[in-house]
Each structure stands twice: as structure tokens, then as C-alpha cells.
Amino acid sequence: MSASLRAPFSAAIKELRIQLCQSSQGSAGVRSFLSKSYPDIKKANPTLPILIREARGTEARAFARYDMGVERKISLEGLDEARIADKLADFNSGVNKA
């Protein structure tokens, strides 16, 4: 796991949502990442709501919700664990990229 995800997410992030498919090859990296890294991420962010939603045929993606309902979305489809960690850490850059 990326060292940047062992530290807390920015306080500007109010909610993190991850969507994935239970069986598709494109979501395999996300499934593996979550099984290995979720405990560490939650330990570093105990009060941050982290929602994980599985649905058949869903593209692997993540959403970060910031103040006043501003959201950012990133695709995680087909990425490996290291790249997923980098993409999630990008949410710390805030709403400037929304």
C-alpha cells in the first residue's frame, strides 16, 4: 500500500465511496486492494465514512465528497493495487480538480 494512504485523508474529504463489480476482471485490482488495504485506511481515518458498493457490471470507480456537496470521481477500472492507491491519494489535492 502507498505510504500516502497510511496517513489520514485530508479533512476536506467528508466521504469516500468505492464502486466495483464482484466478478469482472476490470474490478479485480480493486477487490484485491480493498482486501489488503482497507483495514489500514480505516485505521488511519476512523471517522471518515468509507462506503463500498458492489454491483454486477459496475465500472470500478471511486468518489470523494467534499464540503457543500462537491464531488470528484476517478475510474479505477483495470488498475493494479499500486495505481489504485496513487489514484485515491490524489483525492487529497482537494476540490480544485472537481
Side-chain angles (χ1 to χ4, degrees), residues 15 17 63-67 69-73 95 97-98:
E15 178 183 87
R17 291 190 318 272
F63 299 83
R65 185 176 53 80
Y66 300 88
D67 286 326
V70 175
E71 287 192 356
R72 282 184 51 209
K73 176 181 86 168
V95 296
K97 295 182 181 180

Side-chain angles (χ1 to χ4, degrees), residues 76-87:
L76 304 174
E77 189 74 12
L79 300 180
D80 63 18
E81 293 175 42
R83 190 71 183 115
I84 290 167
D86 291 341
K87 287 278 204 172

Side-chain angles (χ1 to χ4, degrees), residues 27-76:
S27 290
V30 178
R31 290 191 302 272
S32 178
F33 174 82
L34 288 173
S35 67
K36 294 176 184 175
S37 301
Y38 178 82
D40 291 332
I41 294 170
K42 194 60 186 174
K43 185 176 179 181
N45 302 278
T47 61
L48 177 67
I50 301 174
L51 309 172
I52 299 168
R53 300 290 183 249
E54 294 179 314
R56 188 166 309 281
T58 299
E59 174 190 351
R61 54 192 169 185
F63 299 83
R65 185 176 53 80
Y66 300 88
D67 286 326
M68 300 191 315
V70 175
E71 287 192 356
R72 282 184 51 209
K73 176 181 86 168
I74 55 172
S75 176
L76 304 174

Side-chain angles (χ1 to χ4, degrees), residues 7-15 45 48 65-66 89 91-94:
F9 276 106
S10 166
I13 298 175
K14 303 303 178 192
E15 178 183 87
N45 302 278
L48 177 67
R65 185 176 53 80
Y66 300 88
F91 280 141
N92 283 327
S93 63

